[in-house]
Amino acid sequence: MNRGIVYFHFDSHHQVRDYVVHALASLRPHAEHILVVSNSPVDDAGRARLKASCDEILERPNAGLDVGAYQAGLEHLGWDRLADFDELILTNHTYYAPLRPWEEVLTRTGSWRDISFWGMTEHGVMRPHPFLAKRELPSHIQSHWIAVRRRLLADPAFREYWEQMPPVSSYRDSIQWHESRFTDHFTGIGHTYEVAFPVDRYHSDNPAIEEAPALLADGCPLLKRRAFFHDPLHQDRQAVVGGDLLEAAAQAGYSEDLILSDVVHTAAARDLIVNAGLTEVVTESAPGSAEPAPSTSSPAQQPSGCVVVHVPAAGEGIERAEADGLAQRLASLPAHWRVVVTSPEPLDAADLERVTGRRPADEDGAAGDTAVAFRAVRDLDPRGTIAFLTECDDLWDSGRPVGSSGDGVGDGSDDSDGKEGGDDGVDLVLRITAGSLNGPEQGADDVARRQVLDCLLDSPGHVAGLIDLFESHSSLGVAMPAACHIGQPHGGPQWDGLAGAAEALSRRLGLTAALDPTAPAMPVGAMFLARPEALRTLSEGAKELVRLTEQAAADPEQAVRRLRRARAAEVLELLTVYAAMSSGFHPREVLTPAWAGRLYGSLAYKQRALTADLPAYTDEQVRFLRARFGPRAGLGSRVRSYVDVHHPEMAGALKPAYRYVTGGTKGITDGVKGAARSLSGRLRPRRSARPASDA
């Protein structure tokens, strides 16, 4: 078959992602000609990567979105040339592929001789129309894959369709004027079509998003990217289980890291954690044992690590560390991992041993690999976050200049292994703070702190399990304990007044990951296990922030006061995950089995108590509360909320009228008429049920 492909590409950050290159390379054997139409700029490196798997690259502005790209691609190829193809596939960057062999679906569809076009998947009928004051949006082939056969390519109506396309400037326009229109338009003038995976095989109207594992099981080679950043409440309503998508991809032989290293640039962190099932209950590496399985590899072959423990000034940190049993917890770490204590106050050998259970190396190097080192840092914030990022990065990131050093016992400048001076790096860095989590010590703070430390340092087997996560997932950047909600605030905006500052710093650092609008994804107490590469952007940003503050201040003390007053350390902590995501690394929340059970039981009880007088489903609950108490709540919204909860059948019938705004005067009339018909039908007793297809 003489097959052509027009592949629409767009990336808001002007990158050519690995998954795009992978998809094009897999399509290369199945097409005589591949044209990539990029609505975003492509640099020389990106162009070279694309050229390896395509014949032409057409770069253009993002005018008309996907519709504009297809129009431009068709015009570029020329209408005479198009008629020579047996099949032309219009496809795009909105999916990962192949998760199943292309050959299977292309061979099957190739046997369909008497059709004009075919699609990979389709969307079912929607009643009422989601955008317009109409009774329904018809079933249609989804636009991420439309294969057009010669009989339609040669039809003047095909060219007319594209040349008379209404202006497209939004996602809604694209759906209205192309995706939902294409199928009915051409079947209406006598053309026929098929769908490789028709919607009537599945339980939902949009199986590409809502039943992706079922599609993959049936042989569909595509996995829609949107499934990972779609509204989690919608996915919940459709019973989409977070984690099933990644598991299905892995079972199909598709790299999880290829997915996650891409979607981190699109999805909000909390959406991704839910949709991809990135809350991990870490089990012991040796099941049923508190000890990890014996390793036959030498320490040099095992992942290297550095633990940075910060002890606040005034001595309370040492007492806090002893109360937490930190020394016993640190014994769960591999013996070859380095331990460094930072503090704005000098700590002697006895202090270091109280905190870590390790003694510093003496002049003869006694204690060897189990020695603890000390580094004095400036007192810029209670948790030592700024110092960790600006004065200690040489400890855990290879090639970094040596940070500030104090005169304490075991100072980094005296370390004999060469690692303290920045000549070598480590695979992982564990950050621990010995102070309180949220200011003055409280019972709730103690519970939260215990949970954080358990989830990072519960046992040798647990630590081995955490390390295995990083070994298994090359795109994992930050593993952080899931937030404790027992005794803690668990509602309302949780940026604590720092959303604006975080957004400003995010822009200054050039972060690509979108900040979550309500509750940030962040490591509690600034404690986490991470790859040094995932922290590099944040480290550089912290250095610039300190440098600019010092330049603007009259003296060092004033600079410190300004950093504290601006809550700079807290802003940096808030951006930890987003900086990692912007570098292509994904986050995971981690729990022990015990804490997973405790937190789930408590959260389930709270959820039931809170929602006892609300609608049944969470998405309905959110709409109800926003309508009643949100900033735009008015009388009309409150009436609608009442009807939605207490008279759901009437609410469904009135939906067409709700959409009158989008339809102008005619829309008002149509909406009212549609609501009247629907309401009449719902309230009138029925003698027999009509088939859904006849509705």
Side-chain angles (χ1 to χ4, degrees), residues 434-573:
S436 63
L437 295 183
N438 301 303
E441 194 71 22
Q442 300 175 354
D445 186 87
D446 183 68
V447 172
R449 182 173 183 81
R450 179 157 52 89
Q451 183 227 315
V452 168
L453 291 173
D454 283 350
C455 293
L456 291 174
L457 293 166
D458 185 60
S459 68
H462 178 81
V463 172
L466 285 176
I467 296 172
D468 285 347
L469 278 181
F470 284 87
E471 290 282 273
S472 303
H473 303 284
S474 61
S475 68
L476 174 57
V478 180
M480 56 188 180
C484 182
H485 56 80
I486 298 174
Q488 302 290 336
H490 195 65
Q494 295 181 14
W495 284 91
D496 196 22
L498 294 175
E503 185 66 45
L505 184 57
S506 174
R507 289 195 300 269
R508 186 173 186 88
L509 298 180
L511 303 188
T512 59
L515 304 188
D516 290 272
T518 305
M522 61 174 293
V524 179
M527 291 188 275
F528 52 81
L529 182 65
R531 293 186 198 274
E533 306 96 297
L535 301 175
R536 193 168 293 158
T537 298
L538 195 68
S539 176
E540 293 297 334
K543 289 179 179 179
E544 183 183 9
L545 184 63
V546 171
R547 180 179 60 80
L548 294 174
T549 304
E550 290 176 341
Q551 287 179 351
D555 52 63
E557 289 75 13
Q558 187 184 60
V560 172
R561 289 195 298 272
R562 287 187 174 184
L563 288 169
R564 288 179 174 268
R565 188 165 57 249
R567 300 167 68 186
E570 296 175 64
V571 175
L572 290 166
E573 292 167 5

Side-chain angles (χ1 to χ4, degrees), residues 230-437:
H230 206 53
D231 179 9
L233 293 181
H234 174 89
Q235 297 294 76
D236 176 85
R237 180 67 179 268
Q238 300 300 322
V240 178
V241 179
D244 279 0
L245 298 177
L246 282 183
E247 184 177 335
Q251 291 175 349
Y254 195 89
S255 169
E256 291 185 27
D257 290 304
L258 197 59
I259 294 173
L260 292 170
S261 62
D262 162 63
V263 77
V264 291
H265 300 286
T266 304
R270 290 204 170 277
D271 290 358
L272 177 60
I273 289 171
V274 174
N275 288 340
L278 299 182
T279 298
E280 197 90 30
V281 179
V282 180
T283 56
E284 304 277 347
S285 272
S289 172
E291 299 292 330
S295 177
T296 58
S297 61
S298 66
Q301 296 173 311
Q302 298 172 19
S304 60
C306 177
V307 185
V308 181
V309 180
H310 183 72
V311 178
E316 76 275 5
I318 296 176
E319 296 177 1
R320 178 72 264 180
E322 288 189 305
D324 291 333
L326 186 58
Q328 291 78 13
R329 294 178 181 275
L330 292 174
S332 298
L333 294 167
H336 65 284
W337 278 34
R338 289 178 291 145
V339 177
V340 181
V341 175
T342 64
S343 180
E345 295 183 351
L347 301 180
D348 60 22
D351 292 332
L352 295 177
E353 189 170 13
R354 289 173 65 190
V355 172
T356 68
R358 298 188 182 190
R359 294 188 62 82
D362 57 29
E363 295 181 355
D364 298 326
D369 291 338
T370 63
V372 60
F374 174 73
R375 175 167 290 186
V377 296
R378 291 181 293 173
D379 189 13
L380 301 177
D381 60 272
R383 285 193 282 262
T385 296
I386 298 177
F388 171 79
L389 294 170
T390 62
E391 302 177 42
C392 302
D393 55 324
D394 63 289
L395 298 173
W396 40 267
D397 202 355
S398 61
R400 292 304 178 116
V402 179
S404 305
S405 299
D407 299 321
V409 178
D411 182 78
S413 61
D414 298 326
D415 197 287
S416 61
D417 64 6
K419 295 179 179 180
E420 288 287 305
D423 296 329
D424 200 2
V426 295
D427 298 313
L428 299 171
V429 57
L430 174 63
R431 172 127 205 270
I432 300 294
T433 60
S436 63
L437 295 183

